[in-house]
Amino acid sequence: MSSTLRDFTFEAAPELPGSDRVSQYGLGGLRRIVHRLWDLTIEGVGNIPADGPAILCPNHLSFCDSVFVPVSLPRRVWAIGKDEYMVGWKTKHLFPAFGMIPIDRSGGEAAQAALDTAARVLEGGHLFIIYPEGTRSRSGDLHKARTGAARLSVRCGAPIIPVGHVGTLEVQPPDRFTMKPGLPVTVRFGAPMHISDFGDPLDPRSIRPFADAVMFEIAQLSGQKYVDTYAGSSDNDDDQNDTETKAIPVPPGRARTPKMVAAPAS
Amino acid sequence: MNIASIIETHDANRVAVIDRDNTLTYGELRERVASIRHLLVEHGVRPDDRVAVTAGNEPMFVAAVLGALGVGARVIPMTPNDPLPEVDRKLTAVDPKIILVGEEASWMHDHASGIDAPMIDLGSVSTSVATSPEIVDRDDDDIAIMMLTSGVSGNAKAAMLSHGNLAWAQAAVCENTIDGMGADDVVFGSLPFSHIFGLNVVLFAALRMGAQVVLQRRFDLGESLELCADRGITLLAGAPPMWRRWSTADVADAFATVRLAISGAAALPIDVFEEMQQRHGITIEEGYGLTETSPIVTSSRGDAKGGSVGRPVDGVELILVEDDGTIVDRGDAGEIIVRGPGIFKGYFDDEDATNEALTADGWFWTGDVGVFDDDGRVYIVDRIKDIIIVSGFNVYPAEVENVLLGHGGVRGAVIVGNTHVDTGETVVAYISGDVDIAELEQLAASSLSRYKCPTKYHLVEELPVAPSGKKIRRELR
């Protein structure tokens, strides 16, 4: 099923971060502009519930993913964004007004506060976007999921909707400030996924299989090759300083397990 | 400090070991142990020499191990149940100076020609001697036990555990825990003493506290229930297959005196945990540990929850890491690595294996994948080596097996990976039971992502499962 410009239901939520007015009129304007400037195809929009909470998990290739995915949705949406956006004077006001919840990606209590806010959005019955890879993939491959989305799904009882898009990297490659118009972009929404289909929601062993299964579905939708490393951790990904991680020395005689790289499974 | 001293201070008239209808007091046990020390010194055994003890759970096994430790030797406990080629392979790996053979391993005397080291029949050792050598003092770091860990991975390796390693783990289950083992306990000794759990957590810990150990040479359900009731067992230790049998036993009051129930050696299925609670009112405490950790790492004592192996015990650091050593995100699965006083000193004469598992700063990389819950409890996911990688996606065999076991006709399931030209590996299921494969395919498709669904099913009569309950996957690959 494809979406049209008119298929949009605004949801007022004055108790949540973001401006109702900016979201209602700004997002409406943005949808018109995007549909006019790009050849946007939206598939599987029928997988988005008409009401109630859901977590949207897209692949992440370009800054403009955060434009194309929200404008493809028939409902208002909130999202987590890196708190570096809170430095620039434009983005500092504009992005939160659209519903961006800044997150401190060094982790800790500040990151937890952002996830708590995300939980409030879902508990209020709204849609929420979280990029499961945690950061943009600079290699173009689909990377291993962080578990935040899966844990949020358990905490709030919200399904995850895998999202795979194609074409955003060409519209705005890394380090390009502007978006190149006229190009085709496709956004595909997959069927809602529930952790109860993958194991006991109360058993922490269910989290990783669920997160992996979401990535599998995203790979089917985006056509990307999956690699079982985190985005930003491989030689091909230069976004390495996004998060600080601690490491323990590996035993000297231990051979690293080679991570197999292959085309999406069918 | 020598862990052979654990029996030295107890009242001579206290009962130490009960074997069938025979009772051995601590005084009598000390005499037998002294005889073994005398015998070994006469045979020229010196500190750090290697002494193999092959016997079942019999009184002379206890005396032989403590006697050999007492002269400062490194002791290799061996099961009497291995076939001769396996015995040969293990003896070659540890090259003992002398082999002490118990009643249960007496068959070995008929096969002496293939074994270099002299064998001594423990049945021929006198029960007491006029004089015997004193117990040799040892440092904490001196090696006490060399435990063979061929386990489920294949190659025979001997993990070197020091006197300090073993003493720390004993204290962890006795003095340094709530409701720890005490002098008044009557301990069920059926788990094999050739395994670190049976040896250190059951036998040595009980002897350390001056408790009674009721021996059972081979597990038998009916006999075990009689022993529980007749001997008034207070501490029941078992492996998951034993717990499954006990959980379904239709008996009244057999477990009336049991105050501590502990499981180890392999993951305890949740349905067994729940059945023991519901049918017998017994909460099984599960722990996690390995031969290389003496074996205590975690314990669920006082806070048991089905599926979890509890929290790390005091003194143990446990973290979860990626294969490059990066600590995993909160709530994510990773390889369990541990550091603490129970970590072994390396594998005997196998520097490569040691360097694969131990770091210079004392972290032992277990090869097990685990995950924490929000309350700090640990759950074991699978063995890293068993993970199947399909198109880059990880498939944990246990997850697929649990789904297939949900079919009423499936008695057992073992999942392995086969190489595949397109996807790298593919998932293959070995099933025992009475079941239609089409139904299993349907069950998998409705419960698992496509890449996790087995591409082949093999119906077999019996699955390769070790007595501990661990699956021996290498036989199916």
Side-chain angles (χ1 to χ4, degrees):
Chain A
M1 186 192 294
S2 62
S3 165
T4 69
L5 194 57
R6 287 187 296 277
D7 297 332
F8 183 77
T9 308
F10 174 72
E11 296 167 16
E15 74 285 6
L16 292 172
S19 159
D20 278 2
R21 184 170 292 192
V22 170
S23 283
Q24 184 171 12
Y25 299 109
L27 197 59
L30 192 61
R31 284 165 61 87
R32 286 189 197 89
I33 292 168
V34 169
H35 278 274
R36 194 164 295 162
L37 292 182
W38 286 277
D39 178 13
L40 176 60
T41 304
I42 305 167
E43 295 175 7
V45 76
N47 287 318
I48 309 295
D51 50 37
I55 301 166
L56 294 128
C57 285
N59 52 330
H60 199 11
L61 293 164
S62 166
F63 172 80
C64 70
D65 301 341
S66 298
V67 174
F68 284 102
V69 175
V71 303
S72 301
L73 288 164
R75 295 171 54 190
R76 185 180 178 184
V77 67
W78 281 256
I80 274 179
K82 58 184 177 184
D83 64 356
E84 289 96 291
Y85 291 135
M86 301 305 285
V87 177
W89 67 272
K90 286 182 196 164
T91 56
K92 180 179 179 179
H93 298 288
L94 189 60
F95 287 6
F98 272 108
M100 187 197 91
I101 298 163
I103 188 166
D104 177 349
R105 292 191 296 170
S106 62
E109 287 181 14
Q112 189 57 44
L115 290 172
D116 289 345
T117 306
R120 279 175 50 215
V121 170
L122 292 163
E123 283 156 8
H126 303 288
L127 301 181
F128 191 83
I129 294 174
I130 186 166
Y131 295 105
E133 293 166 279
T135 189
R136 279 174 287 176
S137 163
R138 294 297 179 95
S139 64
D141 298 332
L142 185 67
H143 285 270
K144 183 176 177 177
R146 303 278 176 180
T147 55
R151 287 189 289 122
L152 203 55
S153 172
V154 173
R155 176 175 169 182
C156 302
I160 286 182
I161 295 175
V163 184
H165 52 72
V166 181
T168 61
L169 190 59
E170 289 72 26
V171 171
Q172 192 177 21
D175 306 322
R176 183 183 163 118
F177 186 69
T178 56
M179 295 163 62
K180 192 174 174 184
L183 296 173
V185 171
T186 301
V187 178
R188 299 187 181 101
F189 298 105
M193 301 171 73
H194 301 265
I195 193 167
S196 53
D197 292 335
F198 298 88
D200 178 357
L202 300 177
D203 188 328
R205 287 173 291 193
S206 304
I207 296 286
R208 172 47 63 186
F210 185 39
D212 286 350
V214 169
M215 301 316 286
F216 177 79
E217 293 304 326
I218 294 172
Q220 309 308 301
L221 296 166
S222 70
Q224 284 168 287
K225 179 175 70 181
Y226 177 81
V227 288
D228 196 38
T229 57
Y230 290 120
S233 62
S234 73
D235 293 338
N236 292 329
D237 281 330
D238 56 7
D239 206 5
Q240 292 188 28
N241 296 322
D242 276 1
T243 52
E244 282 186 26
T245 48
K246 287 185 251 176
I248 302 289
V250 176
R254 176 176 273 227
R256 289 275 303 274
T257 312
K259 295 289 183 185
M260 216 211 76
V261 175
S266 55
Chain B
M1 192 277 291
N2 186 324
I3 57 163
S5 305
I6 55 177
I7 60 167
E8 294 301 309
T9 57
H10 303 312
D11 184 336
N13 296 315
R14 284 185 70 84
V15 173
V17 175
I18 299 171
D19 175 49
R20 297 167 180 164
D21 293 327
N22 302 317
T23 296
L24 206 61
T25 65
Y26 275 94
E28 290 164 335
L29 179 60
R30 283 198 288 270
E31 286 181 3
R32 281 166 176 71
V33 170
S35 294
I36 298 285
R37 287 202 301 272
H38 177 78
L39 172 95
L40 291 174
V41 168
E42 289 235 304
H43 278 80
V45 173
R46 298 283 175 266
D48 288 326
D49 282 347
R50 295 180 294 282
V51 174
V53 178
T54 176
N57 286 15
E58 51 194 287
M60 283 312 286
F61 173 94
V62 183
V65 170
L66 290 174
L69 287 170
V71 300
R74 301 173 171 200
V75 179
I76 302 113
M78 294 176 65
T79 172
N81 302 322
D82 281 339
L84 191 62
E86 178 78 2
V87 174
D88 262 345
R89 203 165 58 86
K90 289 179 174 174
L91 288 173
T92 303
V94 295
D95 189 22
K97 181 166 187 168
I98 199 164
I99 305 168
L100 303 177
V101 181
E103 195 180 332
E104 296 288 322
S106 55
W107 62 270
M108 281 184 62
H109 295 296
D110 300 330
H111 299 279
S113 58
I115 296 167
D116 289 339
M119 288 195 283
I120 296 175
D121 179 4
L122 285 168
S124 68
V125 178
S126 59
T127 54
S128 64
V129 286
T131 59
S132 74
E134 293 294 307
I135 293 174
V136 174
D137 193 30
R138 302 254 71 191
D139 289 337
D140 278 3
D141 285 341
D142 286 335
I143 305 303
I145 296 287
M146 288 175 33
M147 191 59 89
L148 289 156
T149 70
S150 58
V152 293
S153 64
N155 299 326
K157 291 180 290 191
M160 297 186 292
L161 299 167
S162 70
H163 288 265
N165 288 152
L166 297 165
W168 170 81
Q170 291 159 20
V173 295
C174 296
E175 300 99 318
N176 299 338
T177 184
I178 50 168
D179 297 329
M181 202 184 296
D184 294 332
D185 275 314
V186 181
V187 179
F188 184 60
S190 180
L191 285 167
F193 295 154
S194 53
H195 184 282
I196 189 64
F197 187 42
L199 183 73
N200 207 34
V201 177
V202 178
L203 177 65
F204 281 174
L207 296 179
R208 175 189 178 97
M209 302 312 291
Q212 287 181 34
V213 185
V214 178
L215 303 179
Q216 187 184 35
R217 298 190 180 200
R218 279 197 186 81
F219 180 70
D220 174 87
L221 178 66
E223 187 191 42
S224 71
L225 294 170
E226 282 174 24
L227 287 172
C228 277
D230 297 348
R231 300 291 182 183
I233 298 287
T234 63
L235 193 150
L236 193 57
M242 295 159 68
W243 285 112
R244 184 170 288 288
R245 302 285 305 280
W246 283 327
S247 71
T248 53
D250 193 14
V251 289
D253 297 336
F255 305 114
T257 53
V258 173
R259 72 172 191 92
L260 283 175
I262 56 177
S263 179
L268 181 72
I270 290 182
D271 65 306
V272 175
F273 175 87
E274 291 174 345
E275 187 72 16
M276 276 307 290
Q277 265 188 336
Q278 287 159 15
R279 189 187 284 245
H280 300 299
I282 284 180
T283 299
I284 304 172
E285 293 165 2
E286 202 176 355
Y288 166 71
L290 304 95
T291 299
E292 293 86 344
T293 59
S294 300
I296 304 295
V297 175
T298 70
S299 168
S300 64
R301 179 152 306 170
D303 187 27
K305 184 177 178 187
S308 169
V309 293
R311 298 183 174 85
V313 302
D314 286 347
V316 170
E317 296 174 82
L318 186 157
I319 54 179
L320 306 174
V321 296
E322 304 281 343
D323 67 349
D324 63 357
T326 309
I327 297 172
V328 301
D329 293 347
R330 179 171 165 264
D332 202 355
E335 180 170 356
I336 296 171
I337 69 172
V338 292
R339 185 161 67 172
I343 303 299
F344 74 138
K345 304 300 176 190
Y347 297 106
F348 173 69
D349 202 20
D350 197 340
E351 197 175 341
D352 289 347
T354 302
N355 284 336
E356 282 178 26
L358 269 181
T359 64
D361 54 355
W363 286 105
F364 170 56
W365 290 51
T366 64
D368 288 322
V369 180
V371 61
F372 281 111
D373 69 9
D374 288 341
D375 298 322
R377 291 191 190 87
V378 179
Y379 293 69
I380 306 301
V381 177
D382 229 319
R383 291 286 298 168
I384 279 187
K385 285 179 180 171
D386 293 336
I387 294 173
I388 304 159
I389 302 177
V390 179
S391 296
F393 289 92
N394 291 339
V395 180
Y396 294 102
E399 184 194 0
V400 182
E401 286 161 3
N402 286 338
V403 165
L404 298 179
L405 286 167
H407 187 292
V410 173
R411 200 169 59 241
V414 176
I415 296 295
V416 297
N418 274 6
T419 53
H420 188 275
V421 67
D422 294 326
T423 59
E425 282 187 290
T426 184
V427 178
V428 177
Y430 287 81
I431 303 292
S432 66
D434 182 17
V435 64
D436 181 356
I437 286 176
E439 290 176 13
L440 289 181
E441 287 173 334
Q442 201 174 6
L443 176 65
S446 64
S447 310
L448 295 165
S449 289
R450 268 171 290 163
Y451 65 95
K452 295 177 185 171
C453 293
T455 55
K456 272 188 192 164
Y457 289 85
H458 299 283
L459 282 175
V460 295
E461 286 291 314
E462 286 297 326
L463 292 165
V465 177
S468 63
K470 286 180 179 168
K471 291 160 181 168
I472 309 172
R473 296 179 202 278
R474 68 173 186 273
E475 291 189 6
L476 299 175
R477 290 191 180 112

